[in-house]
Amino acid sequence: MPYSWRLPMALHLSGGGGCAVVLLVLFGPALLLAYLLHSAVWLVVVPLGIVVFAVLVAALPIKRKVTPEQFADELERHLVGTEGEWDWDDTTSVAIADERLERIRLELPRFDSLALEKDKDELKAIIAAIRKGEFPEAVPPTHLTYPNR
């Protein structure tokens, strides 16, 4: 399947429209069942069932399959600022099946802003390495500190 025909990795809802959709998904079926079966119990059971089902689905170890070239393209779109509103969030938040790319993905949040020229240069180097088939070793972020034990 061509990359451009992929389904989106996440559904992004915001503001009042997002809240309305969530309420409709939770309580629409509940209201219908309560009306048809003449029992208000369904107003509690159905939303709870939907939430439990959503949590179970979210907990599944589903990882996206992306080629190194596609991953490099995603990084490059962020570098040049041509990604969509939620593309960088999807790139940094959704686990990748290829462990080499997953190690790199885990370090990407440090490139969120790209305000410093050194960050841009480092991201360019990562993109170039991926395109050459080289996968840089993951280095723990320096902004996190852990107590000595």
Side-chain angles (χ1 to χ4, degrees):
M1 180 180 293
Y3 182 74
S4 60
W5 290 94
R6 267 190 19 213
L7 293 175
M9 292 302 300
L11 178 63
H12 301 282
L13 301 171
S14 60
C19 188
V21 169
V22 169
L23 289 174
L24 183 64
V25 167
L26 287 177
F27 293 104
L31 286 170
L32 184 63
L33 273 176
Y35 175 76
L36 292 174
L37 300 176
H38 306 291
S39 175
V41 167
W42 296 107
L43 294 173
V44 174
V45 172
V46 172
L48 282 177
I50 291 171
V51 168
V52 167
F53 178 73
V55 168
L56 290 174
V57 169
L60 291 174
I62 298 172
K63 296 181 178 183
R64 69 185 180 120
K65 292 173 178 60
V66 61
T67 66
E69 187 64 33
Q70 291 170 335
F71 189 63
D73 290 343
E74 291 174 9
L75 299 180
E76 191 166 42
R77 282 193 295 274
H78 178 65
L79 181 66
V80 298
T82 59
E83 78 262 352
E85 182 178 2
W86 297 101
D87 289 351
W88 186 244
D89 179 59
D90 291 343
T91 300
T92 59
S93 302
V94 181
I96 300 173
D98 185 332
E99 287 302 318
R100 303 167 303 174
L101 298 177
E102 177 64 8
R103 284 193 306 269
I104 296 168
R105 183 196 67 84
L106 292 172
E107 291 189 47
L108 292 179
R110 67 183 172 155
F111 298 110
D112 283 350
S113 74
L114 293 177
L116 301 174
E117 199 60 38
K118 75 174 188 75
D119 290 337
K120 290 178 185 178
D121 292 340
E122 191 173 345
L123 187 56
K124 284 178 192 175
I126 291 171
I127 293 167
I130 293 171
R131 290 196 192 282
K132 289 190 282 185
E134 301 169 2
F135 299 92
E137 285 299 314
V139 178
T142 56
H143 64 281
L144 298 177
T145 58
Y146 301 98
N148 292 334
R149 293 185 188 223

